[in-house]
């Protein structure tokens, strides 16, 4: 099993996802600045993986601090919190990971104890992530039948989590078809499934509707970077249009996400949709494929409304409509 995020040699070890699929290599983050850069540069990506990596970033801030009193240490940790928090605005798991560690050290007055508690909690978060994803996989598996062809979008597998995956955790034994953006489907999902010797077919985004008309897709399963209490799902750009097509062709559309991806406080207009670099659209590698100085709109995420979602798979069970009522019930069972 690929371990995307792991604590090793008093540092954070990450798979460098910018090098995939041609090279499986690793990056050591020895400071919180290294972690912030890794998140910003998408060396590590995927909401659950970012959340755990961010937590380890705070651990590094504490462990590298020379402060000898609790007030000074907390100032160093808060500085790291703000820098890491600013790296990716859309996925809620980033703030969840940071806030979970900050809450854990409230009212602790010992410098050494704070450092110990933070590391223990971050390691526990990493272990929980794998357990949660396996739980989602076993819960969601009942929705599928042997021989089904499953469509997924972007990457919601081991590389988007500490290990195992959310959407791919449900469909690791099923056939795959998918792609995009920053080529995360062709680069990452395809790499993962081939790594596990799972049969996969890669298709362009524009072929989704055609294959649905041919009856070639039985289910759609995607991950999520944030889910509101209304059931609105923020996920990689292109998810919404696939959901529309699935609805049109009466194909079940499932979202697999841990409860840490749920945001019960904010409304749609409160969420910042991350805008990615225009070079992701105008270049392939170093080669220009668009006119110089052309305007580019390149949002990284879109919003899928609840009426297009058949159900949401979590580690605690499957949530069905009406989402505003049933999400609240599920969250109260945590």
């Amino acid at each position: 099993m690929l371990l995307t995020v792991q604590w090793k040699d008093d540092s954070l070890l990450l798979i460098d996802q910018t090098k995939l699929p041609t090279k499986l290599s690793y990056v050591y983050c020895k400071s919180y600045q290294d972690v912030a850069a890794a998140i910003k540069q998408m060396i590590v990506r995927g909401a659950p993986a970012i959340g755990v990596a961010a937590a380890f970033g705070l651990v590094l801030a504490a462990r590298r601090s020379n402060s000898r009193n609790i007030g000074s240490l907390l100032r160093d940790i808060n500085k790291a919190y703000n820098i890491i928090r600013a790296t990716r605005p859309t996925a809620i798991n980033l703030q969840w990971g940071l806030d979970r560690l900050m809450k854990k050290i409230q009212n602790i007055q010992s410098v050494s104890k704070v450092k110990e508690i933070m590391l223990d909690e971050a390691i526990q978060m990493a272990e929980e992530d794998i357990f949660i994803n396996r739980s989602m996989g076993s819960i969601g598996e009942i929705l599928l039948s042997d021989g089904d062809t499953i469509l997924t979008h972007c990457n919601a597998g081991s590389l988007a989590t500490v290990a195992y995956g959310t959407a791919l955790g449900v469909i690791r034994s099923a056939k795959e078809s998918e792609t995009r953006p920053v080529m995360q489907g062709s680069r990452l999902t395809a790499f993962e499934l081939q790594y596990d010797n799972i049969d996969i077919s890669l298709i362009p985004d524009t072929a989704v509707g055609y294959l649905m008309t041919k009856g070639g897709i039985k289910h759609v399963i995607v991950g999520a970077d944030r889910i509101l209490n209304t059931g609105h799902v923020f996920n990689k750009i292109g998810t919404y249009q696939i959901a529309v097509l699935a609805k049109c062709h009466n194909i079940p559309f499932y979202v697999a996400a841990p409860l840490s991806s749920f945001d019960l406080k904010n409304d749609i207009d409160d969420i910042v949709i991350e805008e990615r670099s225009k070079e992701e659209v105008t270049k392939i590698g170093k080669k220009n494929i668009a006119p110089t100085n052309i305007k580019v709109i390149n949002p990284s995420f879109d919003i899928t409304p609840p009426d297009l979602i058949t159900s949401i798979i979590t580690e605690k069970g499957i949530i069905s409509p009406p989402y505003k009522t049933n999400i609240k019930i599920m969250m109260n069972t945590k």
Side-chain angles (χ1 to χ4, degrees):
M1 183 168 54
L2 290 167
L3 277 175
T4 305
V5 179
Q6 54 184 310
W7 184 256
K8 188 174 182 180
D9 300 330
D10 203 39
S11 299
L12 181 63
L13 184 63
L14 303 171
I15 291 178
D16 186 349
Q17 299 190 39
T18 65
K19 299 293 194 298
L20 293 172
T22 56
K23 183 180 180 182
L24 178 58
S25 60
Y26 293 82
V27 171
Y28 270 104
C29 296
K30 299 184 177 182
S31 68
Y32 78 84
Q33 293 94 335
D34 291 344
V35 175
I39 296 171
K40 189 74 173 175
Q41 297 165 16
M42 297 181 74
I43 289 170
V44 61
R45 31 73 46 206
I50 288 173
V52 175
F56 278 115
L58 283 192
V59 170
L60 286 168
R63 294 176 75 82
R64 300 297 186 261
S65 172
N66 294 319
S67 300
R68 296 187 178 183
N69 65 76
I70 194 67
S72 178
L73 176 63
L74 290 177
R75 283 193 292 273
D76 289 342
I77 293 172
N78 278 310
K79 179 181 178 182
Y81 175 101
N82 291 327
I83 289 173
I84 296 171
R85 176 68 188 87
T87 55
R88 300 290 301 272
T90 307
I92 192 173
N93 302 65
L94 173 62
Q95 186 166 354
W96 165 82
L98 295 171
D99 289 346
R100 177 165 162 175
L101 251 64
M102 296 300 287
K103 184 177 180 180
K104 197 71 179 179
I105 61 172
Q106 281 182 349
N107 304 318
I108 305 297
Q109 297 302 313
S110 166
V111 168
S112 61
K113 195 66 176 176
V114 163
K115 294 180 180 183
E116 177 188 342
I117 289 172
M118 291 179 75
L119 178 57
D120 289 346
E121 188 70 9
I123 291 173
Q124 182 178 331
M125 289 167 66
E127 293 171 349
E128 283 178 5
D129 182 83
I130 299 172
F131 175 79
I132 285 168
N133 291 335
R134 287 190 178 277
S135 297
M136 273 191 288
S138 62
I139 288 170
E141 185 182 359
I142 65 171
L143 300 171
L144 310 180
S145 300
D146 289 344
D148 282 352
T149 298
I150 315 300
L151 174 75
T152 190
H153 179 64
C154 189
N155 175 258
S158 297
L159 296 167
T161 62
V162 174
Y164 201 72
T166 54
L168 291 194
V170 178
I171 58 176
R172 279 198 173 275
S173 62
K175 293 183 180 179
E176 263 298 305
S177 311
E178 88 88 59
T179 188
R180 222 169 130 81
V182 199
M183 312 307 285
Q184 286 178 359
S186 57
R187 287 196 308 109
L188 305 182
T189 300
F191 167 81
E192 279 197 46
L193 293 174
Q194 284 196 333
Y195 185 91
D196 287 343
N197 295 315
I198 295 173
D199 188 19
I200 174 173
S201 297
L202 184 69
I203 66 170
D205 295 349
T206 46
V208 170
Y210 171 75
L211 287 177
M212 287 181 174
T213 66
K214 296 297 182 182
I217 296 169
K218 298 301 181 184
H219 306 273
V220 179
I221 306 180
V222 301
D225 289 82
R226 186 187 297 251
I227 302 174
L228 301 186
N229 67 341
T230 54
H232 288 83
V233 169
F234 290 72
N235 195 48
K236 194 60 64 179
I237 192 73
T239 302
Y240 169 63
Q241 63 201 40
I242 293 173
V244 171
L245 286 166
K247 184 80 167 183
C248 181
H249 293 89
N250 296 313
I251 296 171
F253 183 94
Y254 304 114
V255 176
L259 294 179
S260 59
S261 294
F262 285 73
D263 177 3
L264 305 188
K265 297 179 180 179
N266 291 298
D267 297 322
I268 289 178
D269 294 339
D270 299 325
I271 311 304
V272 176
I273 297 292
E274 181 180 346
E275 186 82 14
R276 298 296 299 169
S277 166
K278 70 176 185 179
E279 281 75 22
E280 291 178 359
V281 176
T282 61
K283 291 184 176 183
I284 295 180
K286 296 182 179 180
K287 182 179 177 59
N288 286 317
I289 59 171
T292 304
N293 298 324
I294 192 169
K295 292 181 180 179
V296 172
I297 301 173
N298 186 25
S300 189
F301 302 92
D302 60 22
I303 308 166
T304 301
D307 60 294
L308 299 179
I309 299 167
T310 306
S311 57
I312 302 171
I313 304 163
T314 77
E315 70 270 29
K316 294 294 184 181
I318 296 172
I319 306 174
S320 300
Y323 290 114
K324 194 157 190 178
T325 298
N326 290 334
I327 286 174
K328 185 176 180 180
I329 293 171
M330 182 65 74
M331 294 299 287
N332 286 337
T333 65
K334 286 178 65 175

